[in-house]
Structures are given as C-alpha cells and as structure tokens.
C-alpha cells in the first residue's frame, strides 16, 4: 500500500483512534450548527407551527446522523444487543451519507454564489466551506464501512424531498445572503436537483463497496 493510499484505507479511517476523533469533531460541529441556526429556529417557532422547526437546521441534522453512524462503528455490539438499534442502523447510515453529501455541497455553493454576487467573505465563511466540504467527503469515504443499501438510500432521498418541499412551500429554507434572495426560484430548483444527485452518487459508490 502506498503512503498516500493509506490515508483512505480501512486501517486508517476505521481505526478506533480516527473514529473517536471524527466522532468528537462531528458532535461538536453538530452543536455549533444548531447554535448557528438558533435564531432562525426561534423565528420559526414564533411564526410557524411547531412541526416546521424540524426542517430548519439542515446541515447540523445531517452531521447528527453521521455522528450517530460513527457510534455504530465504534460500538458494533449495539447491533447485537438491540434489535431496534439493528433495524435503525441502515436508515441512520443512509441519512448520514445522503444528507451530508447534499448539504455539504449546498452550503459551499451558496457561499460561493453569494461571493460571486458581491458578498464579502470573512473567516467564518472559509471555516464553513472547509467544514461542509468535509461533510461531503467523509460521507463518501465511509460508505464502504456501512451496512445500508439502495432502499435505505432511497428512503433518505424521500426525507430530503420532504425537507425541500417544506422549506420552499412554507419559507423555512436556510436564511440566504441578501444578494441571493432574488435567485430563490433557481436555488429551489438547484436544491431539489441536488437531493436527487446525492442519491445517485451514493448509489454509485455502493457499487464499489466490499461487504
């Protein structure tokens, strides 16, 4: 094995030390993400029915799914000790991969689209670009260590499409930069298309998984 390929090998990525590091990073990122969305969640609770708030924090919910997936890899005895956890595993893992891929790409695209229309990027934008690219990449890297199949991935797509429908029907999509507000129809189309794209990429990567 070459020195470079080692860094995406099972021996490196699925080692207990790496899984613990990734768990902590994703858990902290999830908390940060919910804090980031806190004002919009509060606004949604004040102006919308309670159930719509579930569809507001897209990226942190995706990283939450991935964090839970890492627990399955860290503690494989979960699936042996509980039939419920065993049944939930493929659904959680599929949601982790498909949603991380989608919202990782979506957030980076929105930041760059805003910059292209005159937004001034600050350090926080660059931090978000790096962290969201990381979401998309880690989802693809860890597909081969997960147990979900095409059906569970399709279920994840249905969740994404429901989320997209609620977001753009009731106006609870992530708050956009002011310069992007007049592009809302294009963003909606892009968002829905990205949901389908994320499923197709996930299905494609499943072909190369060694079960």
């Amino acid at each position: 094995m070459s020195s470079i390929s080692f860094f995406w090998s099972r021996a490196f990525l699925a080692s207990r030390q790496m899984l613990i590091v990734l768990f902590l990073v994703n858990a902290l990122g999830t908390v940060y993400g919910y804090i980031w969305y806190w004002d919009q969640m509060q606004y949604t609770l004040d102006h919308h029915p309670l159930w719509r708030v579930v569809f507001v924090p897209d990226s942190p919910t995706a990283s939450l799914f991935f964090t839970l997936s890492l627990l399955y890899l860290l503690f494989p005895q979960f699936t042996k000790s509980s039939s419920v956890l065993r049944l939930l595993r493929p659904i959680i893992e599929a949601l982790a991969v498909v949603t991380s891929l989608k919202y990782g790409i979506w957030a980076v695209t929105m930041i760059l689209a805003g910059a292209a229309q005159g937004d001034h990027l600050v350090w926080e934008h660059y931090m978000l670009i790096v962290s969201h690219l990381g979401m998309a990449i880690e989802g693809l890297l860890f597909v081969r260590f997960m147990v979900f199949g095409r059906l569970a991935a399709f279920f994840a797509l249905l969740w994404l499409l429901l989320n997209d429908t609620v977001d753009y029907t009731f106006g609870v999509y992530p708050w956009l930069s002011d310069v992007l507000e007049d592009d809302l129809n294009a963003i909606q189309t892009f968002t829905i298309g990205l949901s389908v794209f994320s499923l197709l990429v996930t299905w494609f990567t499943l072909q190369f998984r060694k079960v």
Side-chain angles (χ1 to χ4, degrees), residues 102-103 106 164 168 186-196:
K102 177 194 172 170
Y103 292 118
W106 188 91
D164 295 342
Y168 294 96
I187 290 173
Q188 178 180 356
T189 301
F190 170 75
T191 301
I192 295 171
L194 188 57
S195 293
V196 177

Side-chain angles (χ1 to χ4, degrees), residues 3-209:
S3 58
I4 296 177
S5 62
F6 171 75
F7 291 103
W8 57 81
S9 68
R10 177 182 289 270
F12 178 72
L13 291 175
S15 67
R16 189 162 188 84
Q17 295 86 343
M18 178 56 68
L19 291 175
I20 291 173
V21 170
L22 288 175
F23 173 81
L24 293 174
V25 169
N26 280 274
L28 291 173
T30 299
V31 172
Y32 177 85
Y34 283 115
I35 293 172
W36 174 275
Y37 274 96
W38 186 255
D39 288 344
Q40 185 176 356
M41 293 170 69
Q42 285 290 107
Y43 178 88
T44 303
L45 289 171
D46 291 340
H47 297 87
H48 294 265
L50 175 63
W51 62 270
R52 291 179 193 169
V53 75
V54 175
F55 299 93
V56 172
D58 295 334
S59 292
T61 301
S63 64
L64 175 61
F65 287 135
F66 197 86
T67 302
L68 294 175
S69 294
L70 290 171
L71 284 177
Y72 278 106
L73 296 176
L74 277 167
F75 304 103
Q77 61 268 31
F78 280 173
T79 57
K80 297 178 181 178
S81 61
S82 170
S83 58
V84 173
L85 291 176
R86 184 165 59 251
L87 290 172
L88 287 176
R89 180 176 181 177
I91 297 173
I92 291 173
E93 289 182 342
L95 285 166
V97 172
V98 180
T99 62
S100 293
L101 180 60
K102 177 194 172 170
Y103 292 118
I105 295 173
W106 188 91
V108 173
T109 303
M110 292 304 107
I111 292 171
L112 296 179
Q117 296 193 40
D119 264 351
H120 174 66
L121 299 188
V122 297
W123 71 268
E124 203 165 22
H125 290 107
Y126 295 106
M127 179 272 292
L128 290 172
I129 288 173
V130 172
S131 61
H132 282 82
L133 282 177
M135 284 176 59
I137 292 169
E138 70 179 0
L140 293 177
L141 286 176
F142 276 81
V143 166
R144 57 198 161 127
F145 308 136
M146 298 179 176
V147 303
F148 74 92
R150 286 175 173 260
L151 183 59
F154 183 74
F155 174 84
L157 170 66
L158 295 181
W159 165 256
L160 285 178
L161 293 178
L162 173 62
N163 198 335
D164 295 342
T165 300
V166 173
D167 278 358
Y168 294 96
T169 299
F170 301 108
V172 293
Y173 53 84
W175 284 342
L176 300 167
S177 167
D178 291 342
V179 300
L180 296 178
E181 285 294 343
D182 59 348
D183 298 315
L184 186 58
N185 288 336
I187 290 173
Q188 178 180 356
T189 301
F190 170 75
T191 301
I192 295 171
L194 188 57
S195 293
V196 177
F197 172 80
S198 298
L199 171 71
L200 295 177
V201 171
T202 301
W203 274 356
F204 178 75
T205 58
L206 286 176
Q207 297 182 74
F208 303 99
R209 181 176 62 186

